[in-house]
Amino acid sequence: APVGFWDPLGLAAGSTNFDYKRRREVEIKHGRVAMFATMGYILPEFWRLPGFLSPSYGIKYAEMPNGLAAISKVPALGWAQFFAFIFIVELNVYNEQVNGEPGNYGAGFLGIRSIGIMSPGFKDPETRKKKLNAEIANGRLAMMAIIG
């Protein structure tokens, strides 16, 4: 971890190696989601996709409000598509760890291997460790940022 092991409340006492790896995997996954959420909160302030969010309902991306106000503007079928996509990705893409390493699903740098672009990744162990620590630190920051 970027700041070392720190557990002042003793919540990790009595945990097994499996528990530790599971918690680290969950931390990394939540950090990745929070990083995307933070970008999704900031980006519409500066740029919008052209075209329609929902052609059948006549909703344009440019007409969508920013922040949490956008939640009520997305049609129910849009939310259904969103959650179906997440369900498929969770079941088919990010469901198996590589080398027992938490958060490593074999998708490569930025997950581009899951869309067919092959990436050699980071072979040097020190570089991998540095990149993972940066991802964990940025994920923690994003989790705090998206809370508000």
Side-chain angles (χ1 to χ4, degrees):
V3 293
F5 184 76
W6 186 68
D7 185 21
L9 299 177
L11 298 174
S15 296
T16 64
N17 191 34
F18 173 80
D19 294 333
Y20 173 77
K21 284 186 175 185
R22 174 71 179 133
R23 289 178 184 144
R24 176 52 53 98
E25 179 182 3
V26 169
E27 177 186 23
I28 292 170
K29 189 177 279 192
H30 280 86
R32 289 172 180 168
V33 170
M35 286 187 272
F36 277 117
T38 303
M39 288 304 300
Y41 208 84
I42 295 170
L43 188 66
E45 295 287 339
F46 303 102
W47 182 77
R48 300 289 176 113
L49 288 171
F52 286 89
L53 171 70
S54 175
S56 58
Y57 287 93
I59 302 172
K60 293 183 178 180
Y61 285 107
E63 297 170 352
M64 291 295 290
N66 291 343
L68 297 176
I71 292 173
S72 63
K73 304 297 181 194
V74 177
L77 286 175
W79 286 113
Q81 289 173 340
F82 177 73
F83 287 113
F85 175 74
I86 291 172
F87 180 74
I88 290 168
V89 168
E90 285 288 328
L91 281 182
N92 296 316
V93 180
Y94 300 118
N95 61 356
E96 191 175 315
Q97 291 180 1
V98 175
N99 300 327
E101 198 179 329
N104 184 358
Y105 303 106
F109 181 64
L110 294 177
I112 60 174
R113 200 174 282 161
S114 53
I115 58 170
I117 301 171
M118 299 313 284
S119 166
F122 301 103
K123 300 294 183 196
D124 179 41
E126 278 304 309
T127 304
R128 273 183 73 73
K129 183 178 179 183
K130 183 178 176 184
K131 296 288 185 182
L132 179 61
N133 283 338
E135 180 183 22
I136 291 169
N138 290 335
R140 289 174 179 170
L141 179 63
M143 285 186 270
M144 291 296 111
I146 202 64
I147 288 173

